[in-house]
């Protein structure tokens, strides 16, 4: 659904550019609360993975294909604010390096594909998670539904933007029906990819899925000193002997009969009451596995992707929306159209371009998120 230059007039493109800039600014601040030292590098990986999977166009109808938008996937894995940034980085790299999505339409694309999909998907996801039983299956099901709805929601948003600033004289009702109709089908593919990816990560490392926090985690277990009285409402550790009920009441206080030497003996300071410490597991395996999957998708599997135009391209051609489409400013890029210039072998050219794209998106995305994380650490140290 990458909108090219010339579809939307300059005033509306400028307004959506302001909206997109504001969304990115707000997300940069919000992402500070979502990212920590473990998840910041993983957020860059999510952006690279979305870039790779977007290269895998899948057929959805006669002569039409679709691809992942990624807003739902990013929001559920790393949080809604970070999700907006992930998709924005992907769109920026696609527009600058691969001439995919107009540069003057970058604000339109970020507003539609990053902001709308992420906000709609995460709102639906959180609603389902709150109402449904707290199980791992709930996270997967909620991911499917959220992703499914987010794609036609983006189609509706594009139709609204086109109604305000479309450059071709096309009946909006026809645009709406065509866009929503085809993107409902694309949403099914988006939902399947999102649910499979989220479900796989939740099955292996639920602690790394932002949307699964508080859903898949076990109840808090309080580790108490054996000499300390149990705190009200404390949860006993599994397998630990239950504390014997005390005979003391508020009406008959209990006095100690222990020798003075015992009662006077100083105790070591008790550790703060907190959840049982769980050693932090390394994220290296997940990071390398995700990177390998992204490289495989972009470098190998993308060669077998559908060559049919995607939903927006098909609707634009059929309804005449592309009447005033302009050439991309980066059409002469050595990576334009996801191929490396001067390499005649299509498989090698496309695969190498995909690998370069994954690497560039990973580098830029990781850099952004590490800087955001450091700003949060600096702010926290300043307050302390």
């Amino acid at each position: 659904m990458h909108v090219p230059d010339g579809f939307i007039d300059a005033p509306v493109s400028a307004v959506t550019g302001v909206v997109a800039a504001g969304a990115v600014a707000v997300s940069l601040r919000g992402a500070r609360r979502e990212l920590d030292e473990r998840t910041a590098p993983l957020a860059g990986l999510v952006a690279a993975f979305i870039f790779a999977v977007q290269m895998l166009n899948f057929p959805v109808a006669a002569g039409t294909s679709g691809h992942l938008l990624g807003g739902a996937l990013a929001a559920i894995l790393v949080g809604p604010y970070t999700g907006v940034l992930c998709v924005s980085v992907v769109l920026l790299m696609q527009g600058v390096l691969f001439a995919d999505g107009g540069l003057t339409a970058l604000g339109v694309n970020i507003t539609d594909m990053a902001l709308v999909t992420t906000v709609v998907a995460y709102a639906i996801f959180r609603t389902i998670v709150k109402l449904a039983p707290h199980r791992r299956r709930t996270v997967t099901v909620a991911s499917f539904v959220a992703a499914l709805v987010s794609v036609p929601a983006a189609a509706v948003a594009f139709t609204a933007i086109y109604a305000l600033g479309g450059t071709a004289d096309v009946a909006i009702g026809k645009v709406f029906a065509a866009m929503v109709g085809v993107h409902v089908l694309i949403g099914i593919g988006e939902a399947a990819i999102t649910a499979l990816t989220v479900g796989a990560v939740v099955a292996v490392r639920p602690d790394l899925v932002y949307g699964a926090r508080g859903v898949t985690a076990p109840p808090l277990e309080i580790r108490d000193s054996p000499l300390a009285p149990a705190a009200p409402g404390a949860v006993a550790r599994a397998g630990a002997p239950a504390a014997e009920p005390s005979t003391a009441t508020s009406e008959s206080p209990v006095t100690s009969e222990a020798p003075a030497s015992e009662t006077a003996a100083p105790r070591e300071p008790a550790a703060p009451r907190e959840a049982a410490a769980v050693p932090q597991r390394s994220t290296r395996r997940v990071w390398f596995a995700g990177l390998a999957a992204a490289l495989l998708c972009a470098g190998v599997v993308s060669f077998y992707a559908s060559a049919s135009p995607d939903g927006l391209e098909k609707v634009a051609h059929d309804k005449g929306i592309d009447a005033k489409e302009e050439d991309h400013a980066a059409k002469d890029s050595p990576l334009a159209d996801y191929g490396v210039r001067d390499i005649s072998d299509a498989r090698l050219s496309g695969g190498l371009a995909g690998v370069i794209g994954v690497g560039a998106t990973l580098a830029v995305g990781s850099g952004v998120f590490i800087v955001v994380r450091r700003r949060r650490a600096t702010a926290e140290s300043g307050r302390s």
Side-chain angles (χ1 to χ4, degrees), residues 144-346:
F144 184 93
V145 177
L148 176 64
V149 177
S150 69
V151 177
V156 172
F158 169 78
T159 304
I161 294 172
Y162 194 83
L164 295 173
T167 55
D169 186 13
V170 181
I172 296 303
K174 293 182 178 180
V175 175
F176 176 84
M179 284 292 293
V180 173
V182 72
H183 283 90
V184 166
L185 300 177
I186 295 174
I188 297 173
E190 175 107 7
I193 295 171
T194 302
L196 287 173
T197 304
V198 172
V201 180
V202 166
V204 178
R205 291 293 302 273
D207 58 305
L208 298 180
V209 178
Y210 183 89
R213 295 177 182 178
V215 179
T216 60
L220 289 178
E221 296 178 347
I222 307 300
R223 179 177 297 178
D224 292 330
S225 167
L227 298 178
V235 180
R237 289 181 55 82
E244 295 183 4
S246 172
T247 58
T249 65
S250 58
E251 298 178 354
S252 56
V254 177
T255 57
S256 174
E257 297 293 334
S261 59
E262 293 185 18
T263 57
R267 284 185 180 177
E268 295 182 1
R273 300 283 180 94
E274 59 182 7
V278 179
Q280 284 195 355
R281 298 166 62 187
S282 173
T283 60
R284 288 185 179 181
R285 290 186 178 181
V286 175
W287 193 91
F288 282 113
L291 178 60
L295 292 174
L296 179 64
C297 289
V300 179
V301 182
S302 61
F303 180 77
Y304 303 97
S306 173
S308 299
D310 69 14
L312 177 59
E313 289 178 292
K314 180 67 172 175
V315 172
H317 178 73
D318 291 346
K319 304 301 179 183
I321 295 176
D322 58 355
K324 296 186 178 181
E325 180 179 353
E326 301 173 1
D327 289 337
H328 199 287
K331 66 177 182 178
D332 295 326
S333 166
L335 298 173
D337 297 324
Y338 297 93
V340 179
R341 185 189 299 173
D342 299 331
I343 296 182
S344 57
D345 185 278

Side-chain angles (χ1 to χ4, degrees), residues 2-8 13 16-17 91 101-111:
H2 296 75
V3 180
D5 295 319
F7 275 29
I8 308 299
S13 294
T16 55
L91 294 171
L103 296 183
T104 61
L106 184 60
V108 175
N109 285 319
I110 290 177
T111 300

